[in-house]
Amino acid sequence: MQREIIINSSETETRVALLENSILAELYIEQKTKRGITGNIYKGKVTKVLPGMQAAFVDIGLSRDVFLYVSDIYDHLDENEPLICDEEDPDELALLKKNDLPKDKDKDKTKKPPKESIETLLKQGQEVLVQVAKEPIGTKGARVTSHITVPGRYLVLMPTVDHVGASHRITEQAERLRLKDIIKRIKPPNVGLILRTVGEGKAESEFVSDMQFLSKLWSNVLKKNETAAAPSLLHRDLDLVLKTLRDIFTPDIDRLITDSVEEYERCLEFVDTLLPALTSKVKLYLKQRPIFDYLNIEAQVDKALKKKVWLKSGGYIVIDEAEALVAIDVNTGKYVGKKNLEDTILKINLEAVKEVVRQVRLRDLGGIIVIDFIDMAKEPNRKALMSTLNEELKKDRTRTQVLQLSELGLVQMTRKRIKQSLGKVLTKPCPYCMGNGRIKSDKAILTSLNREISQSIKKLNGDDVLIRVHPTIANLLCGNKKRELNRLQRTYGKRFTIQADDNLHQEQFDLASL
């Protein structure tokens, strides 16, 4: 598979696209005047403690206070697989022996609620060191945690917990044992480390260099914390371009292209320092045609904002995004198959799986996701569907958890949500329908007009009444519904004049005496 990173930089925003075989798989957008805050570390002040919610509001200097749950203060279970633990631990020994990883859902069952309440941990006015875990989403403010993580190229430093983990994508037994030995030698006491996927196969010297960088960065944060007044920003995470180089630009990327000379030079400087082997893959785009247009990315972005997504076979999926839940419906559409019903349904479902996962990644959908596949009777087909889904989800860098296919053909899954989805970033609620996605039917509008006339007719002086309506409704009243207009005139003994007004919403109308 050919994988490319495309960086489009303008005066107002930076966009980063990840292409897989020229198909847009992921898209990240950052405004120049409004950078994201996820990963930033702040010295904050507790403004309110909420025992009923076991949480607190913290002022970190933003327009709205942020939310801190008790579980983000007291207890911390890392989502990465344990790498170092007691040698007598049978679970760890089994893990190293059979090249298999425990499922996330099994880990969730072992999680225990915090032993202490929010009132005993925090007091109003108390100063706290926190890191933004989630951007503000919708009406909700940002969510923060007191468990700091400082990401590097190969390691993530966790200075507040003594725990070591490794990316669940590192599954090879011998490699996990080798990494375990390295971490034992380089890990400072009383801190935690996470081995990132990109660290697989790297030499000890590269981990040592990363560890030294992270330790120095954390020391600087602590020094600022000693003198800074709350609320204040102690550490800002990298901007979108440098974060892309740190987290996504790996040896399996074929090339990175940017259309900005300034960003090209910044990328070269960063890569020369930390990733010299990848320097030759950094390219500068010099054509006059906009890079996103030239590579057909713009058209793919537009399609990612639509509810209906067509499949090559003629089937389609429909994506409905609510506040905390995303519903995805799979339909056969124009595809009628060739052999029998079960084969037709299997083909559509398998094709839909790949598109569903791509759309989830591209739109950055998070929270609870329910996928309504077309129901299949044969168990082997159901297993093939789930196997394909799990295989496709391996491409997703964001953590997901998938439940089994239900008897109704539903798959429930969760996907970690850190920021707003692509649709929320690039669109806003329709000012006409106020986000409902639908407006009244023509018949319902005419009924409302009828009701308004009956209520207001006595207040209108004279024999002539002007009715201002949207052109669509005007055409109805002067055409197919002219008999209705004649009936109104007979009923109320007045002459009605219809005036089309483009400035009116289709549901709006206005009555006035002439």
Side-chain angles (χ1 to χ4, degrees):
M1 177 189 295
Q2 185 183 37
R3 304 180 79 228
E4 301 170 292
I5 294 174
I6 312 300
I7 301 175
N8 166 232
S9 181
S10 68
E11 293 181 359
T12 57
E13 69 177 9
T14 300
R15 297 186 295 176
V16 175
L18 174 64
L19 303 184
E20 294 176 349
N21 291 335
S22 300
I23 302 297
L24 183 61
E26 296 176 16
L27 180 68
Y28 305 93
I29 301 173
E30 183 175 81
Q31 301 293 325
K32 291 290 180 68
T33 57
K34 189 180 178 182
R35 279 179 53 183
I37 61 173
T38 301
N40 290 357
I41 301 173
Y42 294 85
K43 185 176 186 178
K45 181 177 289 187
V46 178
T47 57
K48 188 179 291 187
V49 178
L50 307 171
M53 297 186 68
Q54 284 300 294
F57 283 112
V58 181
D59 178 14
I60 61 172
L62 303 180
S63 58
R64 283 187 293 183
D65 288 351
V66 298
F67 212 60
L68 177 61
Y69 282 103
V70 66
S71 59
D72 289 319
I73 307 168
Y74 180 79
D75 194 17
H76 179 62
L77 290 176
D78 187 69
E79 65 200 45
N80 296 274
E81 305 300 337
L83 188 70
I84 296 179
C85 59
D86 190 338
E87 290 293 347
E88 299 302 317
D89 185 345
D91 292 334
E92 174 67 8
L93 293 176
L95 173 66
L96 295 173
K97 285 179 181 177
K98 69 177 187 177
N99 187 23
D100 192 17
L101 297 177
K103 302 294 183 184
D104 285 344
K105 62 182 180 182
D106 294 331
K107 285 180 16 179
D108 288 341
K109 293 177 183 178
T110 65
K111 288 188 177 182
K112 299 178 181 179
K115 297 178 182 178
E116 296 191 43
S117 62
I118 192 75
E119 312 96 286
T120 61
L121 294 170
L122 292 178
K123 304 295 180 185
Q124 188 171 336
Q126 181 178 339
E127 294 182 348
V128 289
L129 190 66
V130 294
Q131 183 175 40
V132 178
K134 288 185 179 180
E135 299 268 352
I137 298 175
T139 58
K140 299 178 181 178
R143 179 172 171 177
V144 297
T145 176
S146 63
H147 301 293
I148 310 297
T149 57
V150 186
R153 175 64 176 174
Y154 307 115
L155 300 170
V156 177
L157 175 66
M158 300 183 295
T160 63
V161 292
D162 191 359
H163 168 79
V164 176
S167 166
H168 64 275
R169 296 176 185 272
I170 302 176
T171 59
E172 211 279 318
Q173 173 187 343
E175 178 62 6
R176 290 180 70 87
L177 287 170
R178 185 185 75 87
L179 293 171
K180 180 176 180 178
D181 290 338
I182 292 175
I183 294 303
K184 279 184 175 180
R185 290 193 292 270
I186 71 170
K187 189 182 92 69
N190 303 318
V191 301
L193 286 178
I194 300 173
L195 282 153
R196 307 188 75 177
T197 306
V198 73
E200 187 172 9
K202 299 301 178 182
E204 181 174 341
S205 59
E206 293 177 280
F207 290 114
V208 170
S209 177
D210 217 24
M211 185 69 240
Q212 291 173 345
F213 167 76
L214 294 174
S215 297
K216 183 177 180 180
L217 192 154
W218 177 241
S219 295
N220 291 336
V221 171
L222 292 179
K223 287 179 183 178
K224 290 181 182 179
N225 187 48
E226 291 175 359
T227 58
S232 59
L233 173 64
L234 303 181
H235 169 72
R236 184 186 293 277
D237 200 8
L238 300 178
D239 63 31
L240 178 59
V241 172
L242 296 185
K243 195 181 295 185
T244 298
L245 293 173
R246 183 190 68 194
D247 299 340
I248 305 178
F249 192 39
T250 55
D252 65 338
I253 297 293
D254 294 284
R255 60 177 180 168
L256 180 148
I257 312 173
T258 177
D259 59 359
S260 165
V261 174
E262 180 183 348
E263 295 296 356
Y264 173 71
E265 292 174 350
R266 278 213 309 153
C267 289
L268 279 182
E269 182 180 358
F270 188 94
V271 173
D272 279 340
T273 304
L274 298 177
L275 315 165
L278 304 181
T279 303
S280 62
K281 295 186 177 184
V282 180
K283 308 292 183 183
L284 176 63
Y285 179 80
L286 296 173
K287 299 181 185 295
Q288 288 188 339
R289 189 176 174 186
I291 188 170
F292 267 39
D293 187 36
Y294 177 73
L295 296 174
N296 195 38
I297 299 173
E298 213 71 74
Q300 295 184 64
V301 173
D302 290 340
K303 288 182 179 179
L305 300 177
K306 300 183 184 299
K307 288 179 59 173
K308 181 182 285 190
V309 180
W310 287 97
L311 305 175
K312 291 182 179 179
S313 63
Y316 64 90
I317 62 175
V318 177
I319 303 172
D320 281 300
E321 186 178 356
E323 182 72 19
L325 181 143
V326 177
I328 303 177
D329 185 32
V330 179
N331 297 275
T332 55
K334 304 172 184 176
Y335 182 68
V336 294
K338 295 181 179 179
K339 297 181 180 179
N340 56 60
L341 177 62
E342 189 74 8
D343 289 344
T344 300
I345 293 174
L346 177 61
K347 177 178 173 58
I348 286 291
N349 280 339
L350 292 180
E351 185 181 8
V353 163
K354 297 180 179 180
E355 188 61 37
V356 164
V357 173
R358 188 178 83 86
Q359 292 295 329
V360 165
R361 293 171 62 198
L362 174 56
R363 301 177 189 227
D364 204 5
L365 302 175
I368 300 171
I369 301 173
V370 179
I371 311 169
D372 184 10
F373 289 104
I374 305 169
D375 194 25
M376 295 181 294
K378 296 181 180 179
E379 187 60 27
N381 291 347
R382 295 165 66 90
K383 288 183 178 179
L385 174 66
M386 292 306 298
S387 176
T388 304
L389 176 60
N390 288 318
E391 190 63 31
E392 288 297 314
L393 284 172
K394 290 180 180 179
K395 300 175 183 177
D396 192 359
R397 296 183 302 112
T398 302
R399 180 166 59 97
T400 57
Q401 182 178 343
V402 183
L403 300 183
Q404 291 301 311
L405 183 67
S406 74
E407 292 298 321
L408 297 176
L410 300 177
V411 172
Q412 301 172 67
M413 61 179 281
T414 60
R415 187 173 187 267
K416 189 174 181 179
R417 181 165 60 171
I418 299 175
K419 61 183 188 305
Q420 293 195 93
S421 67
L422 182 66
K424 296 289 178 64
V425 172
L426 297 180
T427 65
K428 66 178 183 179
C430 171
Y432 290 129
C433 67
M434 300 306 294
N436 290 328
R438 302 177 69 86
I439 62 172
K440 287 183 179 180
S441 66
D442 294 344
K443 185 177 181 179
I445 294 171
L446 289 173
T447 301
S448 296
L449 175 60
N450 224 324
R451 191 179 301 116
E452 181 66 24
I453 291 174
S454 67
Q455 293 174 353
S456 305
I457 197 70
K458 292 181 180 179
K459 302 175 185 178
L460 299 173
N461 300 320
D463 296 329
D464 295 300
V465 177
L466 174 66
I467 303 178
R468 290 173 54 247
V469 292
H470 186 273
T472 301
I473 305 303
N475 290 336
L476 286 174
L477 289 171
C478 296
N480 296 338
K481 297 295 182 180
K482 192 167 185 179
R483 282 189 298 179
E484 177 66 14
L485 182 62
N486 293 333
R487 186 191 66 78
L488 290 171
Q489 293 182 142
R490 290 194 306 270
T491 302
Y492 298 109
K494 292 182 181 289
R495 291 185 295 273
F496 291 101
T497 300
I498 306 300
Q499 183 181 83
D501 190 337
D502 287 317
N503 295 319
L504 289 177
H505 181 284
Q506 192 163 330
E507 294 180 0
Q508 288 180 315
F509 43 77
D510 182 55
L511 305 178
S513 298
L514 284 175

